[in-house]
Amino acid sequence: MTFAAAIAQISPKLGDLKSNLALYEQKIRAAAKEKVDLLLFPELSLTGYFLRDMVPSVALRLSSPEIETLKRLSRDVGFVAGLVEESPDYRFFNAAVYFEGGEIRHVHRKVYLPTYGMFDEQRYFARGDRLRAFDSKFGRMAVLICEDLWHPSAVYVTALDGALAVLCPSTSPLRGITEGEPQDDNARYWELINRTYAETFGLYLIYGNRTGFEDGVGFWGGSEIVDPFGEKIAKANYYEEDFIVAEVNFDSVRRKRTMAPLLRDEDIDLTVNELMRIRGRPDWSTVNSQQSKAKREPAKRKGDKARK
Amino acid sequence: MARNGGPGVSVKIPTNVTLLRRILVSFVQNEVEKVGVCRVVVGLSGGVDSGLSAMLAAEALGPKQVLALVMPYKSSNPESLAHAELVVQKSGIESLVVDITPQIDAYFAGFPDADQRRRGSKMARERMTILYDHSARWNALVLGTSNKTELLLGYGTLYGDMASAINPLGDLYKTQVWAVAEAVGVPEVIVRKKPSADLWAGQTDEGELGFSYREVDRLLYLMVDGRHGRHELIDAGFPAQLVDDVTLRIMNSQFKRRLPVIAKVSHRTIDRDFRYARDWGK
């Protein structure tokens, strides 16, 4: 399967849904003219990133008129939109929605919400609880949002779930300066992991970052499409708006996985067994261990309570 | 003692001037234009910070969109005025000299006992009101000139030289300011001279602070950016006294880096649980 993938490296207005929707429309129409098949927008690019208390006022139900507009726009070009999704029980998710052929084909709710340093996402968003690949007309793909990709387990799971391409909408702030480098430290780290994942899992890594500033925080742009051999087949400029297109050809995935059948050789049972052992260890704990255990072991919890 | 692999006193603050210049210029462009204006006003002291701020703004917006206000007092070092004029000539920005002597002297005629510190702070705030007045007259934003070193040390006048709408230098240590200033062409005589707030004759920042900027910058860089603890800093070769003094300075000047403290009585208090970006809707 061959298709033209593109990234709209835009600079949305913070909290201005209407003008960002107009920007989306403009980019989608431009993409259609250029015969783009699949277009990636950055994380939360329909709303802006540092939303804080604006979250509820820019959130969209999947039944909202704005979503209907996006569906209509997807008749010619498939695209991933970055937005705040409001669930029927009034939770707000940092979500990426894949539109294709006039319909929603997939929704990914960001799982790993950074809440440290300059980030405050878990204060405002509910956490997604799924890592899934999905079928598009171009083949099987996955969407992981920004910080999700900093967890190798997320890429690992979606690769095993059959993704031939990982689409990563991102809003990555520039930070850290090193002598003699053309980009900031954070940009360089992203480029390292994008390439590592593409080569390790033998897939296309389509990474769409935004640009512009919000309250002095700049976003470094530098969006890229990396093929399974680690080649950047398209690379956007740093620190300014851009639009890039590249031909994605899943024959490359086939060739890469033939040469290095790492996914074929994955021992899922071994991994699961070892993870279960680690999870069962008395000293095992993470920030969300209580929450995760509660979800998985309701019966045991009752017993614990009775003993108390 | 510094060892290989450890932080060491030889730690070098990164000064990638090409990248910093690019980021700061686009910061000024972006944060000014999204407010719906195209101009800035900046107080030009003749020093390296305001010289750099002004030249970055000239690069970002075009020199004719930058108005430099030079605001001497009668006791200001004449060299300061001359150096400010050098920046204006080099960058081609607009400029205006406003002598603040009459209003300062008129005010202190009523308070003749005021010490140097009070007089210096009053002058800094007088200049601030002039900048904001011209920002209204010229439909412009006030461009800040405080660097990270002085912001962390609290070495500035609250609502005086610390006041601005946007500040391209607030995350740059003095060491980095010097490097970028050199790269963007701030006249060498300004980059090389000893920094001074010029609040009274012969004053130098380093003399008043009691340490050099290059030394304290390395300490701050490890302490703030690198999150090194007290014992690590001492192990790296910094005198315990300096580490403690600087720590105390940062703590005691925290109020200068925050909005005024508001008594909470409602469910939603500004900046506590009423949280919005300044670039709201922009």
Side-chain angles (χ1 to χ4, degrees):
Chain A
M1 170 55 95
T2 305
F3 60 95
I7 298 167
Q9 183 168 293
I10 55 175
S11 173
K13 284 189 178 179
L14 181 59
D16 188 346
L17 208 50
K18 202 175 158 192
S19 82
N20 295 331
L21 194 59
L23 184 58
Y24 263 52
E25 189 164 346
Q26 184 197 326
K27 295 294 173 191
I28 292 163
R29 294 201 190 288
K33 264 192 193 155
E34 287 194 41
K35 306 275 183 243
V36 166
D37 298 301
L38 173 65
L39 176 60
L40 175 63
F41 286 98
E43 174 189 17
L44 292 177
S45 55
L46 205 57
T47 60
Y49 180 70
F50 285 109
L51 292 164
R52 300 181 193 165
D53 282 4
M54 278 177 253
V55 165
S57 49
V58 297
L60 296 175
R61 294 291 186 97
L62 293 184
S63 56
S64 68
E66 289 88 349
I67 296 287
E68 289 306 315
T69 303
L70 292 172
K71 280 184 184 172
R72 273 200 303 281
L73 289 168
S74 76
R75 282 179 194 152
D76 299 325
V77 182
F79 61 88
V80 176
L83 50 85
V84 180
E85 180 212 349
E86 180 175 336
S87 66
D89 58 350
Y90 310 114
R91 285 179 299 158
F92 305 108
F93 293 93
N94 178 342
V97 180
Y98 175 61
F99 295 87
E100 182 192 285
E103 292 299 330
I104 292 176
R105 301 287 177 187
H106 181 71
V107 178
H108 175 69
R109 294 167 165 177
K110 189 174 185 178
V111 173
Y112 292 104
L113 303 168
T115 304
Y116 58 81
M118 65 190 298
F119 305 105
D120 222 1
E121 286 187 34
Q122 204 146 283
R123 181 182 168 94
Y124 301 102
F125 293 116
R127 184 182 165 118
D129 59 3
R130 277 169 199 211
L131 294 167
R132 301 280 162 90
F134 63 95
D135 292 309
S136 76
K137 69 176 177 186
F138 310 107
R140 198 159 169 82
M141 304 190 291
V143 174
L144 295 171
I145 303 174
C146 205
E147 185 94 355
D148 287 338
L149 217 68
W150 283 23
H151 292 259
S153 53
V155 191
Y156 174 77
V157 167
T158 49
L160 285 176
D161 203 19
L164 307 177
V166 169
L167 301 158
C168 181
S170 177
T171 282
S172 179
L174 72 91
R175 56 196 189 280
I177 300 292
T178 298
E179 227 61 63
E181 299 287 354
Q183 77 290 65
D184 58 281
D185 298 349
N186 193 35
R188 213 161 37 259
Y189 175 67
W190 268 104
E191 290 168 341
L192 176 69
I193 65 166
N194 285 346
R195 180 177 170 186
T196 304
Y197 288 140
E199 289 202 63
T200 304
F201 297 110
L203 42 72
Y204 278 89
L205 203 307
I206 303 175
Y207 174 80
N209 190 23
R210 63 163 286 185
T211 182
F213 285 80
E214 286 182 4
D215 277 15
V217 177
F219 303 96
W220 55 270
S223 301
E224 59 188 14
I225 303 179
V226 187
D227 79 7
F229 294 91
E231 288 296 319
K232 287 177 186 172
I233 57 171
K235 179 72 184 172
N237 290 330
Y238 297 117
Y239 314 114
E240 57 191 42
E241 291 177 37
D242 206 350
F243 189 93
I244 55 168
V245 192
E247 201 72 13
V248 170
N249 185 344
F250 285 149
D251 287 347
S252 296
V253 176
R254 184 174 188 269
R255 271 189 288 118
K256 173 71 186 193
R257 291 186 181 184
T258 307
M259 288 182 211
L262 303 180
L263 279 178
R264 180 198 70 186
D265 296 347
E266 263 307 306
D267 189 335
I268 299 182
D269 288 334
L270 172 67
T271 304
V272 168
N273 290 342
E274 293 298 341
L275 288 175
M276 294 295 275
R277 175 185 64 79
I278 293 164
R279 196 183 70 163
R281 238 164 42 185
D283 63 341
W284 180 78
S285 68
T286 68
V287 176
N288 296 293
S289 64
Q290 294 309 317
Q291 193 192 341
S292 315
K293 277 187 175 173
K295 261 191 229 161
R296 294 183 194 114
E297 301 174 328
K300 206 172 175 185
R301 275 180 78 223
K302 268 185 195 163
D304 287 350
K305 249 185 191 170
R307 274 203 299 279
K308 278 176 197 161
Chain B
M1 280 301 288
R3 280 184 304 249
N4 281 345
V9 282
S10 64
V11 63
K12 198 170 175 300
I13 298 173
T15 49
N16 181 336
V17 292
T18 313
L19 183 55
L20 285 171
R21 180 182 192 170
R22 179 167 190 192
I23 292 168
L24 300 176
V25 166
S26 65
F27 161 81
V28 173
Q29 246 161 15
N30 190 290
E31 293 287 3
V32 169
E33 283 167 8
K34 79 167 102 182
V35 177
V37 303
C38 57
R39 294 189 279 221
V40 295
V41 296
V42 57
L44 212 53
S45 69
V48 67
D49 300 305
S50 60
L52 174 58
S53 256
M55 290 190 73
L56 287 170
E59 196 173 327
L61 308 170
K64 297 298 163 205
Q65 310 299 328
V66 181
L67 173 61
L69 283 148
V70 187
M71 298 169 283
Y73 177 67
K74 65 185 179 196
S75 68
S76 295
N77 188 342
E79 194 185 83
S80 301
L81 190 64
H83 288 171
E85 187 50 40
L86 279 180
V87 171
V88 170
Q89 279 170 8
K90 180 92 188 264
S91 60
I93 58 179
E94 301 290 317
S95 72
L96 192 63
V97 178
V98 179
D99 182 3
I100 62 168
T101 307
Q103 55 261 53
I104 294 298
D105 285 355
Y107 177 78
F108 283 110
F111 305 96
D113 298 337
D115 61 13
Q116 277 182 330
R117 182 163 296 276
R118 275 177 65 191
R119 286 172 193 267
S121 297
K122 172 71 178 156
M123 287 176 216
R125 293 184 178 120
E126 187 60 37
R127 294 183 176 112
M128 178 278 291
T129 65
I130 293 167
L131 282 173
Y132 274 85
D133 179 54
H134 282 273
S135 83
R137 180 181 71 83
W138 216 46
N139 193 26
L141 295 184
V142 175
L143 188 71
T145 63
S146 301
N147 62 58
K148 189 172 187 172
T149 309
E150 57 190 21
L151 285 175
L152 283 170
L153 297 174
Y155 193 64
T157 302
L158 184 60
Y159 307 122
D161 52 286
M162 290 179 77
S164 70
I166 62 163
N167 177 2
L169 307 188
D171 207 16
L172 264 63
Y173 290 107
K174 189 78 175 188
T175 307
Q176 294 170 307
V177 168
W178 279 319
V180 182
E182 202 171 2
V184 307
V186 175
E188 197 180 335
V189 61
I190 298 171
V191 182
R192 299 264 168 256
K193 72 176 174 180
K194 278 197 179 308
S196 167
D198 198 12
L199 296 179
W200 54 83
Q203 181 198 24
T204 66
D205 295 2
E206 294 177 336
E208 205 187 354
L209 286 164
F211 40 74
S212 81
Y213 275 127
R214 290 201 189 273
E215 183 186 16
V216 81
D217 277 357
R218 287 196 303 269
L219 173 61
L220 289 169
Y221 181 67
L222 287 182
M223 188 189 276
V224 176
D225 295 62
R227 293 180 185 257
H228 289 259
R230 183 177 185 275
H231 74 275
E232 290 171 293
L233 296 166
I234 292 167
D235 284 352
F238 291 100
Q241 188 66 46
L242 179 67
V243 174
D244 293 339
D245 285 354
V246 167
T247 304
L248 204 62
R249 264 186 182 277
I250 297 173
M251 284 169 63
N252 289 341
S253 61
Q254 179 64 4
F255 74 96
K256 292 189 178 183
R257 296 181 291 268
R258 307 295 303 170
L259 287 176
V261 178
I262 292 175
K264 183 173 175 66
V265 294
S266 76
H267 287 294
R268 274 190 103 190
T269 308
I270 291 157
D271 246 32
R272 187 159 301 280
D273 29 33
F274 178 83
R275 296 177 174 224
Y276 293 89
R278 201 197 71 159
D279 288 347
W280 191 353
K282 305 267 180 345

